[in-house]
Amino acid sequence: MTDNAVSGNNFLRTIVKEDIAAGRLSGELVTRFPPEPNGFLHIGHAKSICLNFGLAKQFDGHCHLRFDDTNPAKEEQAYIDAIQEDIRWLGFEWSGPIRYASDYFDTLYEYAVYLIGQGNAYVCDLSADEAREYRGTLTEPGKNSPHRDRSVEENLALFAAMRNGDFDEGSKVLRAKIDMAAPNINLRDPIIYRIRKVSHHQTADKWCIYPTYDFTHGQSDALEGITHSICTLEFEDHRPLYEWFIANLPVPAQPKQYEFARLNVNYTVTSKRKLKMLVDEKVVDGWDDPRMPTIAGMRRRGFTPASLRHFCDMVGVARSEGIVDVAMLEHAIRDDLDKNAPRAMCVMDPLKIVITNYPEDKVEWLTAPGHPNRDDLGERSLPFSREVFIEREDFREEANKKFKRLVLGKKVRLRSAYVLLAESVVKDELGNIVEVHCSYDAGTHGADPEDGIKPKGVIHWVSASHGKQATVRLYDRLFTHEAPDRGGEEFLDHVNPESLQVIENCWIEPSLADAAPEASFQFERTGYFVADKVEHSNVAPVFNRTIALRDTWGKESDV
């Protein structure tokens, strides 16, 4: 199958269609998502999830969730739990029970014994350094291990002793006997079992030898009846080995492996090793830090399942590697929240406004739309009182005509409320403005001033007597360079020192204090925010900025 056969933006969809049309599928389409539980899933995994589960859904097939748990030293139950939650949050459900590669350890051991019996595997005593020397290079063939010609009986006895724990870690491995002169290095007698005296989160201490991914992958697919084993391009060179094992073992099915380009996003790193480094070195506050490209982090940041699915659909599925602009991801969430997030008001740098001609003891409940284009989101109530807060940057004593907010001697409209006229200021002993005294026009709620002079600006506000205080976290891109982990450079050198700004004592509409965790809002004129799922409560509300209203990273002419 070549790229010429690509239909739309997903060549794998075309492959499945052709397989169905040609009768190459004896039953239903079966795909699988096989994460290693050694960290949290990231944006690249989101693409793979959408691809595998999406194909199964489109063609009325099944998608399995199978944990590739062959390296217990780096795996944790916490990662297993988080991965399940991520998949369900994205809107997918796996077929049947959760599966583990460890479910097949007994069968895989029997397959290894079978290979030994067929003369296709042997126990090797070379050290790791010696094995690298014997392996050869991309331009030079490897050399046979001095242990390659051991008898079947000796290999069976040694492999059994490995299983029984008779040897130290690193002292022996089981290797497939293929071809040390093969142009594809993956076929040069690859390791299929290692000694690892580590307790396993599923099998406890039953095993002290564990199969490698290359040996586990294809056989697990075959045992589950996977029809289309979809991998990223780095596994393309491993496909001949995948096929060799399938051809040389008594497996119950013949799955086919297909590769697609992994998702690479600029201003982002997705290496699990580097993500773990960010966590371990406390550059971020954990795997679910809202600056992380993990699904858990993006969820806590306020990304929605629909926005991530839409982004993955926009990116498409290709055969060649490329870099996706993170602005495409940011556009997907802006578009989703613009259409669906209720509106609200929050003042982050409060300046008190005293409306001198408004009764001191009066409170008026005004209404505002939940969303300008969504009648189904209803209306919200806003308490209006003599004292309100506005953003400090929305007032100036003097300003030119381009400043369309509140200026001494001029008018401005408060959103969904009245028109104010700024008349005087109160300053502290350092000359800082602490209050602005204004008058309001009582006839301007929902109407223009009778003098016909419309105010040029509309600003947001919150009642000083009825508003609630909250903490707001302004998140931005974690890296300042579009390729933070490019070759030869330390990616930590490109961490954005301004990726998080915490603002205490912000003022919010009173109803926001009761917002449910993970509820999203557009704070008018400011950006899109989400109630933090971890720390948000009606006692101490915390809101995370998902994204600003505009792309502040674009060229100035584009802003």
Side-chain angles (χ1 to χ4, degrees):
M1 182 63 60
T2 67
D3 283 344
N4 292 331
V6 172
S7 173
N9 63 351
N10 188 336
F11 75 96
L12 289 167
R13 188 181 299 129
T14 302
I15 289 175
V16 173
K17 287 180 178 178
E18 292 181 352
D19 285 347
I20 293 173
R24 288 190 286 267
L25 278 180
S26 57
E28 295 175 306
L29 172 74
V30 185
T31 61
R32 85 287 174 271
F33 177 62
E36 184 178 356
N38 62 352
F40 278 51
L41 301 183
H42 54 64
I43 183 64
H45 293 113
K47 176 180 177 181
S48 182
I49 291 169
C50 290
L51 173 58
N52 281 287
F53 284 90
L55 284 173
K57 182 177 181 180
Q58 179 179 356
F59 293 99
D60 296 322
H62 302 280
C63 183
H64 296 178
L65 170 61
R66 180 177 74 234
F67 287 101
D68 166 33
D69 56 345
T70 59
N71 189 5
K74 295 184 178 181
E75 299 164 0
E76 297 180 16
Q77 185 63 40
Y79 298 141
I80 293 173
D81 295 340
I83 288 169
Q84 294 177 61
E85 186 175 351
D86 288 345
I87 294 170
R88 286 184 166 131
W89 178 76
L90 277 172
F92 300 105
E93 187 62 47
W94 48 89
S95 177
I98 295 172
R99 296 166 170 89
Y100 297 86
S102 55
D103 293 341
Y104 313 122
F105 279 177
D106 287 296
T107 302
L108 291 171
Y109 180 82
E110 293 171 4
Y111 283 164
V113 170
Y114 178 87
L115 285 178
I116 294 172
Q118 297 296 308
N120 286 330
Y122 63 96
V123 174
C124 181
D125 301 351
L126 291 177
S127 69
D129 290 339
E130 290 170 335
R132 278 190 290 271
E133 181 183 342
Y134 273 73
R135 196 180 191 194
T137 67
L138 292 173
T139 56
E140 297 179 356
K143 299 181 296 181
N144 287 348
S145 164
H147 314 292
R148 197 173 195 266
D149 295 325
R150 280 173 164 157
S151 68
V152 168
E153 291 73 20
E154 184 180 5
N155 282 316
L156 288 172
L158 287 171
F159 189 48
M162 286 173 60
R163 177 180 182 175
N164 291 334
D166 296 345
F167 304 117
D168 293 334
E169 289 190 13
S171 63
K172 284 179 171 48
V173 296
L174 183 69
R175 300 174 66 175
K177 187 187 290 187
I178 305 180
D179 182 3
M180 289 301 295
N184 186 330
I185 289 182
N186 292 297
L187 295 177
R188 295 180 187 176
D189 291 8
I191 295 172
I192 57 178
Y193 264 91
R194 293 185 174 93
I195 300 171
R196 290 285 188 272
K197 296 185 177 181
V198 180
S199 183
H200 192 283
H201 48 86
Q202 298 297 316
T203 60
D205 297 318
K206 178 178 179 179
W207 298 92
C208 62
I209 57 172
Y210 292 98
T212 61
Y213 177 82
D214 277 330
F215 185 62
T216 306
H217 180 203
Q219 284 57 261
S220 298
D221 286 345
L223 290 167
E224 293 180 13
I226 302 300
T227 59
H228 293 69
S229 180
I230 300 168
C231 307
T232 46
L233 276 179
E234 62 261 37
F235 292 100
E236 184 173 28
D237 289 341
H238 295 248
R239 193 195 325 148
L241 180 56
Y242 180 101
E243 294 172 346
W244 187 89
F245 283 130
I246 294 294
N248 285 276
L249 286 168
V251 292
Q254 300 288 314
K256 293 272 290 181
Q257 177 176 306
Y258 301 92
E259 304 87 22
F260 70 99
R262 63 180 296 167
L263 177 58
N264 299 302
V265 182
N266 61 6
Y267 292 97
T268 305
V269 298
T270 53
S271 158
K272 279 188 180 178
R273 179 183 64 83
K274 292 175 180 176
L275 294 178
K276 189 173 187 299
M277 190 181 302
L278 290 170
V279 174
D280 292 344
E281 298 192 12
K282 301 190 183 305
V283 177
V284 296
D285 294 328
W287 285 95
D288 66 344
D289 186 294
R291 292 166 290 181
M292 289 280 274
T294 57
I295 296 175
M298 290 186 291
R299 176 180 179 178
R300 193 171 170 193
R301 175 83 171 256
F303 281 76
T304 63
S307 68
L308 290 183
R309 293 195 303 267
H310 180 51
F311 168 69
C312 292
D313 187 58
M314 287 193 297
V315 169
V317 181
R319 280 279 300 148
S320 56
E321 295 282 4
I323 304 293
V324 176
D325 192 343
V326 70
M328 184 183 293
L329 174 61
E330 293 169 345
H331 167 76
I333 186 59
R334 277 196 189 95
D335 182 65
D336 184 284
L337 293 178
D338 178 56
K339 295 174 181 175
N340 299 303
R343 278 24 178 185
M345 291 190 286
C346 171
V347 175
M348 299 185 197
D349 185 13
L351 174 62
K352 182 177 284 188
I353 300 294
V354 179
I355 306 172
T356 56
N357 62 335
Y358 196 88
E360 290 188 24
D361 57 352
K362 182 178 180 180
V363 177
E364 193 173 354
W365 288 88
L366 310 178
T367 58
H371 190 290
N373 303 313
R374 292 277 302 274
D375 292 341
D376 60 307
L377 292 180
E379 294 183 330
R380 63 192 203 273
S381 295
L382 304 174
F384 187 79
S385 54
R386 177 183 172 86
E387 295 182 353
V388 300
F389 289 119
I390 67 168
E391 297 287 355
R392 187 169 296 275
E393 66 176 16
D394 282 346
F395 172 76
R396 291 183 187 175
E397 292 183 85
E398 296 180 359
N400 58 32
K401 293 181 179 179
K402 293 183 179 180
F403 187 76
K404 300 185 183 302
R405 284 167 271 182
L406 187 61
V407 181
L408 272 181
K410 296 188 178 180
K411 298 179 179 181
V412 77
R413 178 177 290 280
L414 298 181
R415 173 73 71 186
S416 300
Y418 297 98
V419 172
L420 300 185
L421 171 66
E423 297 176 327
S424 64
V425 298
V426 177
K427 298 183 179 181
D428 62 17
E429 62 275 9
L430 298 177
N432 300 310
I433 298 173
V434 294
E435 288 183 4
V436 180
H437 287 195
C438 301
S439 61
Y440 88 114
D441 186 336
T444 56
H445 181 217
D448 292 326
E450 290 185 0
D451 61 12
I453 302 176
K454 297 181 181 179
K456 294 182 178 179
V458 179
I459 60 176
H460 60 280
W461 57 279
V462 172
S463 167
S465 58
H466 288 69
K468 304 294 183 180
Q469 288 193 291
T471 296
V472 170
R473 296 172 180 155
L474 301 180
Y475 288 101
D476 206 342
R477 295 179 186 173
L478 184 55
F479 296 100
T480 57
H481 196 285
E482 64 179 8
D485 56 350
R486 63 189 180 194
E489 293 198 20
E490 175 52 61
F491 79 105
L492 292 177
D493 291 341
H494 299 296
V495 170
N496 179 8
E498 299 179 356
S499 62
L500 170 60
Q501 179 185 359
V502 179
I503 306 177
E504 306 283 356
N505 302 320
C506 300
W507 286 88
I508 56 175
E509 293 180 20
S511 62
L512 284 177
D514 298 321
E518 297 191 305
S520 291
F521 302 90
Q522 184 198 94
F523 287 175
E524 297 195 33
R525 302 176 61 236
T526 305
Y528 297 99
F529 292 77
V530 64
D532 187 87
K533 63 177 271 189
V534 176
E535 299 181 34
H536 185 85
S537 71
N538 57 10
V539 176
V542 176
F543 291 90
N544 301 329
R545 183 173 69 182
T546 307
I547 197 78
L549 290 179
R550 295 183 180 182
D551 178 10
T552 57
W553 287 76
K555 295 180 180 179
E556 186 173 347
S557 59
D558 294 332
V559 177

